[in-house]
Amino acid sequence: SSQNLSEEFAEAARQLKKEAPRIQFGKIDVTHQHDLRKEFNIQAFPTVKFFVNGSREDPIDCKGVRKASTFITWVKRRTGPSTVLINSTDQAEAIIKADDLAVIGFFRELHNDSVEVFCETARDVPEMPFGMTASEDICANYGIQTNSLVVFKKGKPVHNEVLEDGRQNKLGLTRLIKTFTLDLVTEYNIETSVKIFDVPVENHILLFTPTNSETFNEIYENYQSAAAEFRGKILFVLVDTDEARNGRIFEYFRIRDIDVPAVRILNLTSDAKYKMPADEVTVENLKEFCQSYLNGKAKQHLSSEKIPQDWDKMPVKVLVGKNFNSIIF
């Protein structure tokens, strides 16, 4: 909520006043400042923008940051180095073990495009510590031979992304790394819904199933296997159909009891929904569905009632989702 973020924002301002007095904080109520709202194209609330070197042009958007500590990290990484340079294995271990998650860049040398992309990515992921090294000994200690970005979770490496020479897709890396703040499959509930929408992955796949059914364990294992393959591209969500508080999400997808287990993909940007063509929730079917969606080959699912037999008998035609497009357009 705006109120909550406002308090965290004020807390960050208090702390940074001591550490970085050159950074000024201000807040604007755009309900009274229509010209400013228009100039900076403010559409959602709250919106935080960072203005650099006294310029009104092209301020940097600060998205998805909700805590004072994360906000301070975000600002510091914009105004100073975004990663820690690691010179010893002990220092690397300290960073890896200090938090639940850590990201380390292992490089052959520190002046190339891969390093630049790594540092830019660090600016956009203030939720976790970033370190980088070009020490042969440290790379050898972790068994790394090529330029790599490694995500550590609870002190253990959980993902190794080889950084090719040349410009990587920074947005792709940012999305991939941010997915590690969630489980491989995230169960949908009041607490996790906010986190799910904070991760900038616009493709969500949802498995609707009762978690106490006899087939649940097998289905869930298949779902997790597929999730590992599409990490960073599609976010895997589990919706327990026995949980009454999930009612609104069933309505939104028009899921009925007889439909479960059901699998749907939702594109957050276009709001388009897709239904898995196969009924069986197997690894093969899930992978095929995800891949055809990413390749742009999946058919959009327009949930609709059946077309009534006498829809065109009367002067006023009866339209449902299935015949709406063909009749109207």
Side-chain angles (χ1 to χ4, degrees):
S1 69
S2 282
Q3 182 57 38
N4 207 338
L5 190 80
S6 200
E7 286 164 17
E8 294 287 332
F9 188 67
E11 179 53 39
R14 271 196 294 278
Q15 289 187 36
L16 279 169
K17 197 172 177 147
K18 301 183 199 107
E19 294 178 49
R22 284 176 51 244
I23 298 167
Q24 303 288 321
F25 284 74
K27 64 177 177 179
I28 297 166
D29 181 352
V30 288
T31 48
H32 303 300
Q33 305 286 338
H34 296 293
D35 49 347
L36 288 175
R37 181 176 182 172
K38 197 171 165 192
E39 179 183 350
F40 298 115
N41 189 23
I42 307 297
Q43 290 171 343
F45 303 103
T47 292
V48 177
K49 286 183 183 283
F50 187 51
F51 293 84
V52 185
N53 298 332
S55 163
R56 290 176 89 110
E57 305 296 315
D58 299 326
I60 303 162
D61 273 323
C62 177
K63 288 189 180 125
V65 174
R66 292 170 188 271
K67 284 205 199 85
S69 56
T70 318
F71 193 75
I72 290 166
T73 305
W74 189 91
V75 171
K76 281 182 173 172
R77 287 184 189 176
R78 291 274 161 198
T79 53
S82 60
T83 63
V84 177
L85 189 58
I86 298 171
N87 297 311
S88 71
T89 304
D90 287 351
Q91 191 189 356
E93 280 298 296
I95 290 174
I96 289 163
K97 293 199 168 124
D99 269 291
D100 249 13
L101 288 160
V103 182
I104 309 288
F106 296 91
F107 299 100
R108 282 196 295 276
E109 39 119 13
L110 288 179
H111 302 284
N112 59 34
D113 285 346
S114 298
V115 173
E116 210 172 301
V117 172
F118 181 79
C119 293
E120 283 171 17
T121 305
R123 282 193 198 113
D124 288 337
V125 190
E127 297 91 334
M128 50 190 93
F130 274 66
M132 65 178 183
T133 186
S135 147
E136 279 183 29
D137 292 351
I138 300 172
C139 290
N141 184 61
Y142 292 97
I144 308 279
Q145 278 144 6
T146 52
N147 289 350
S148 299
L149 172 158
V150 181
V151 180
F152 290 84
K153 195 164 190 170
K154 294 192 166 59
K156 299 209 164 39
V158 285
H159 186 84
N160 182 333
E161 186 77 13
V162 173
L163 299 172
E164 309 290 345
D165 292 335
R167 304 285 296 173
Q168 294 270 138
N169 174 353
K170 179 176 76 84
L171 185 61
L173 281 180
T174 304
R175 282 177 176 155
L176 176 74
I177 295 165
K178 284 207 179 205
T179 60
F180 286 94
T181 60
L182 294 171
D183 295 326
L184 193 53
V185 171
T186 306
E187 183 166 352
Y188 181 90
N189 58 41
I190 304 300
E191 290 77 47
T192 60
S193 61
V194 173
K195 285 181 170 179
I196 289 168
F197 289 108
D198 269 352
V199 174
V201 177
E202 63 169 0
N203 307 313
H204 290 187
I205 187 168
L206 300 97
L207 166 63
F208 295 86
T209 185
T211 54
N212 62 6
S213 74
E214 285 170 20
T215 54
F216 174 72
N217 286 349
E218 190 190 335
I219 287 174
Y220 187 70
E221 256 174 54
N222 293 346
Y223 198 57
Q224 270 193 313
S225 298
E229 200 155 311
F230 294 96
R231 185 154 218 160
K233 296 187 180 83
I234 302 178
L235 207 61
F236 278 63
V237 178
L238 168 72
V239 184
D240 182 2
T241 53
D242 280 345
E243 174 55 70
R245 283 177 300 188
N246 291 338
R248 277 173 63 192
I249 197 167
F250 308 147
E251 272 172 43
Y252 179 68
F253 283 92
R254 300 242 179 128
I255 302 281
R256 301 159 305 170
D257 287 348
I258 55 164
D259 296 329
V260 300
V263 178
R264 300 282 186 276
I265 284 178
L266 170 68
N267 179 297
L268 265 59
T269 309
S270 67
D271 216 30
K273 303 176 191 71
Y274 302 81
K275 178 184 179 182
M276 185 165 80
D279 286 333
E280 300 265 307
V281 185
T282 63
V283 179
E284 210 44 57
N285 289 343
L286 286 162
K287 283 186 185 173
E288 206 170 298
F289 179 40
C290 291
Q291 203 49 62
S292 74
Y293 168 75
L294 291 174
N295 295 344
K297 300 225 167 85
K299 274 226 286 280
Q300 205 172 320
H301 177 58
L302 304 164
S303 31
S304 167
E305 354 175 351
K306 288 199 166 65
I307 301 170
Q309 278 177 322
D310 56 356
W311 71 271
D312 66 345
K313 289 252 164 59
M314 306 299 267
V316 176
K317 312 298 177 199
V318 180
L319 299 178
V320 292
K322 284 196 173 83
N323 68 352
F324 185 85
N325 265 2
S326 55
I327 305 303
I328 299 295
F329 301 113

